[in-house]
Each structure stands twice: as structure tokens, then as C-alpha cells.
Amino acid sequence: LTSEVLATQLQPPSVAVAGLPSVVIDDREFRTLNFGQAIEKSSPAETEELVALTADGRLASILEPAGKGRWKPKHNFAVT
């Protein structure tokens, strides 16, 4: 198994959460979530988890409810 072969088999992390509702976050929201703080965001569906994607579709966080219209990070992911 070489790194070249491995690279062709890897899928982006967003594939693992494709079944969850998602929202796109801006740079300010991204920084806020990385500090462990909640953001205000409308959910596209009634859910207990929400996926936060960057503008270019990279998985940034899995969010959980933090009060009416607010979401806090449950898990943050390294975005490079």
C-alpha cells in the first residue's frame, strides 16, 4: 500500500455526515465555533445534530442545540 494508492481511496469527511442536515458557515462563524462558542443559525430541519460546512464544502463542525436558534460545536474538525 503506497501513499499514492491510499490517496485515491480516501473520501472527504463530509461523506460520513451526508445524511445530516447542514448549513454553510462564514469565516466569523468558523472562528467562533473553533473557540467552542455557539453561533446563531437557522436549522433547515428539526434535528439534534447539524453539520457546519465551509463555503467550499469542507466539514468544519458537528453542532448540537444550544438554545433557540443557537448551535454549539459538539465536534470540530481540522480544516486545512
Side-chain angles (χ1 to χ4, degrees):
L1 186 62
T2 65
S3 59
E4 291 81 18
V5 170
L6 184 60
T8 65
Q9 301 301 312
L10 292 177
Q11 295 186 11
S14 57
V15 171
V17 293
L20 293 174
S22 64
V23 293
V24 175
I25 58 171
D26 61 28
D27 290 340
R28 182 188 55 79
E29 293 168 322
F30 177 78
R31 285 189 302 277
T32 300
L33 291 171
N34 276 333
F35 283 118
Q37 300 171 345
I39 60 170
E40 290 188 31
K41 209 64 160 169
S42 297
S43 172
E46 192 74 26
T47 185
E48 290 299 312
E49 289 185 319
L50 187 61
V51 174
L53 302 172
T54 61
D56 59 356
R58 292 177 291 162
L59 176 61
S61 297
I62 296 177
L63 308 174
E64 61 186 358
K68 186 174 176 142
R70 295 185 56 78
W71 294 86
K72 64 182 179 179
K74 185 174 184 178
H75 298 285
N76 283 329
F77 297 90
V79 175
T80 56

